[in-house]
Amino acid sequence: MSLPALHDLEVSIPGIRIDTDPETLTMYARDQGPVQELIDPLAVVWAESVADVQETLRWASRTGTAVVPRGAGTGVSGGAHATRNCIILSLEKMNRILDIRPGDELAVVEAGVVNADLNDAVTPYGLMYAPDPASYKISTIGGNVATNAGGLRCAKYGVTRDSVLALDVVLADGTLIHTGHQSFKGVAGYDLTGLFTGSEGTLGIVVGVTVRLRYLPSDVRTVAAFFPDFRTAAAGVLAVGAARVQPSIMELLDGATMAALDGAHGSDLGSRGGALLLIQTDGFGAEAEAAAVRAVLTELGGTVSSEGSEEAERLLELRRHSRGDDVEHEIRVGEDVAVPRSQLVHYVAELERMAGDHRVQLKVVAHAGDGNLHPTFWIASEEGAGGVERLNAALDESITIALRMGGTITGEHGVGQFKLRWLPQEQQAEVLALQQQIKAVFDPAGILNPGKAIPEV
C-alpha cells in the first residue's frame, strides 16, 4: 500500500485518525496471544462511527488492503495479530451505550463498550450483563462477540452467544446490515447473528450489539473448598452436579496456580491444600444450594469455608488474576480446551502425565462447571530448541487427548491464528470446506482478518 492510498483514505473520511508512527504500529501489531511471526501493520485507523467503518472498508475493497479489526487487544489466540500488508481498524473509540431498556431486559451498545462499563450502567436498574471474561474490566463487547467469549459465570448463564440478540455488522464492501431481533425468541431465516458471533472478524465487522440482560440475583453465596489434590477437587465438580445444584460459577485451581498467586499477591493458598474449588450460587435459593455444596465437598474431604465467608469472595477475585503475566526467563503457552464434564477427572490426570512425560512445567485453572480448562505449559528459556520441541509436543498431545475424549480445541478464546494448526483434527475436511465457502460469500476478496479462524483456501 502506498502513501497516496492512505491519503485517499484520509480524504474519504475527513478527520479520521490514521497513525503510521513505528511505535504505534508495534503496539497494535499483536494481541496477547502467542506470536509466530511479528508483523507491523501498515497503519492503525481509529473509527469513531459506523460511517467511519463503512468508508474504511469501501476504501479497503477498492485498494485490496487487508483489514484486521481490534477491540482492546485482550485476546489470547492471535485473532487480532497484524498480517502482511494490513491496516489495524480499532473500534475502541466506538464506546457509547446507545440504549438501556429495563422493561425489555436489553441494551444496545457500540462495539467498543467495555464489559465492566456496561455492567456499571445497568446495575442501577437491577440488571447485569452475564458474560464475564476474566478481562471484563478492559475487554470490549465487540471483542467478546468476535471470539464468543466465556467467563466465570458460564456454568449457569452460558457464553456471549447466549446473551446476544442482534448485531449491526459492516460487510467487506462497506454494506451495513442488521441481524437478529429485540425479542428473546425469534427463528426467522438462518441464524446470522449466531454465525457472526465467534467468527473473529472474518465475515464482517461488528459495530453494534443488542444484548440480553439478566436480573441481578437476590442473593449470592460463595463457597471455597481446599483439597489435597487436583483430581479430588475435579471429582467435587461432578459430585455437586449429582446433588442437583446449578451454581453460577465453578472454578478450579491447581497447586501450581495457587503458588503463582501466592507469589504475586502475598496470599497463602499453597499452604492450605493442593487444589482449590470455588463455587458461587445465586438467586432466591442461593443459601440452600450453598449448604448442599458445603455438605457434598466436606464429604469428599475438602476443607470448606464457613457460611457467609468473605474470604471466599476474595479468593474468587484472585481467580480472575490467575492467568498470570509473561515471565522473562520462561516460555509459556496457555491452552483453552474443553471436554465433557464426565471426562474432567480423566483429562486432569492426563495433563499431569503429559507434563511428566515431556518434562515441562504445568499449571491448570478451569471453568469446571462447563469442562473448559486452561492448562499452561512452560519451560525455562535456557532450555533452547530442545525445550521448545518438548513444549510443542505437550501442547499437541493435550489437544489430541481432549479431542479423543469428545472435547474441542477452544472453549472460549477462539481459534485465532495460533490454533489453526489443530482445527483440521477437530473438523472434517468437508466442514472446513463449507466454512471457506461461507467466508467467500461474505468476503470474496479475502480482506477481512485473513489467516484467522479457518484455514485459507
Side-chain angles (χ1 to χ4, degrees), residues 94-418:
M94 295 181 62
N95 56 6
R96 294 181 302 160
I97 298 173
L98 302 174
D99 193 13
I100 297 174
R101 289 163 48 183
D104 292 326
E105 299 166 40
L106 65 81
V108 183
V109 303
E110 291 185 323
V113 169
V114 171
N115 187 302
D117 291 344
L118 174 58
N119 266 304
D120 288 344
V122 301
T123 295
Y125 300 99
L127 296 167
M128 68 176 183
Y129 177 61
D132 66 329
S135 58
Y136 76 102
K137 290 183 179 179
I138 54 174
S139 66
T140 63
I141 302 296
N144 294 170
V145 170
T147 59
N148 194 20
L152 275 65
R153 286 195 289 252
C154 282
K156 185 172 184 177
Y157 297 102
V159 293
T160 297
R161 181 179 284 119
D162 299 301
S163 291
V164 174
L165 297 174
L167 295 173
D168 297 304
V169 183
V170 178
L171 302 181
D173 64 358
T175 301
L176 175 66
I177 65 170
H178 179 81
T179 73
H181 36 77
Q182 296 187 345
S183 56
F184 293 161
K185 296 175 71 175
V187 295
Y190 295 142
D191 182 9
L192 295 183
T193 303
L195 178 62
F196 280 113
T197 304
S199 64
E200 303 185 44
T202 61
L203 302 180
I205 297 182
V206 173
V207 292
V209 189
T210 301
V211 298
R212 178 177 183 175
L213 303 174
R214 312 278 180 163
Y215 289 114
L216 281 169
S218 56
D219 191 15
V220 174
R221 300 298 171 118
T222 305
V223 177
F226 288 89
F227 288 89
D229 59 78
F230 197 49
R231 294 185 213 178
T232 308
V237 174
L238 300 180
V240 168
R244 299 185 180 181
V245 175
Q246 178 57 75
S248 57
I249 294 175
M250 296 183 77
E251 297 294 307
L252 188 54
L253 291 73
D254 74 350
T257 300
M258 292 194 295
L261 287 172
D262 288 345
H265 300 282
S267 50
D268 64 345
L269 306 181
S271 66
R272 303 170 65 182
L276 171 61
L277 181 58
L278 291 166
I279 295 179
Q280 189 171 90
T281 59
D282 66 10
F284 287 104
E287 176 46 38
E289 289 185 320
V293 167
R294 292 188 195 99
V296 166
L297 300 185
T298 300
E299 188 174 342
L300 272 177
T303 303
V304 183
S305 60
S306 60
E307 181 178 346
S309 171
E310 291 183 5
E311 183 197 42
E313 291 284 349
R314 183 178 66 84
L315 293 177
L316 192 58
E317 186 58 30
L318 277 178
R319 157 62 186 98
R320 293 185 183 277
H321 301 286
S322 61
R323 186 165 72 184
D325 299 321
D326 290 334
V327 179
E328 188 173 330
H329 59 278
E330 294 174 348
I331 300 174
R332 295 179 175 230
V333 182
E335 260 312 318
D336 173 41
V337 295
V339 297
R341 287 209 325 175
S342 62
Q343 298 298 315
L344 191 61
V345 177
H346 306 299
Y347 189 66
V348 166
E350 285 291 295
L351 286 173
E352 293 172 342
R353 176 195 58 76
M354 289 174 220
D357 288 352
H358 297 289
R359 292 179 289 120
V360 297
Q361 300 298 311
L362 168 71
K363 67 174 185 174
V364 185
V365 296
H367 304 305
D370 56 16
N372 187 189
L373 301 101
H374 298 308
T376 297
F377 295 101
W378 76 92
I379 58 167
S381 301
E382 67 249 23
E383 295 184 57
V388 171
E389 185 176 341
R390 297 197 317 276
L391 180 64
N392 284 326
L395 289 167
D396 287 340
E397 188 174 4
S398 73
I399 294 294
T400 300
I401 297 298
L403 293 174
R404 190 179 299 163
M405 291 181 174
T408 177
I409 66 173
T410 174
E412 61 181 8
H413 292 165
V415 174
Q417 193 179 67
F418 182 67

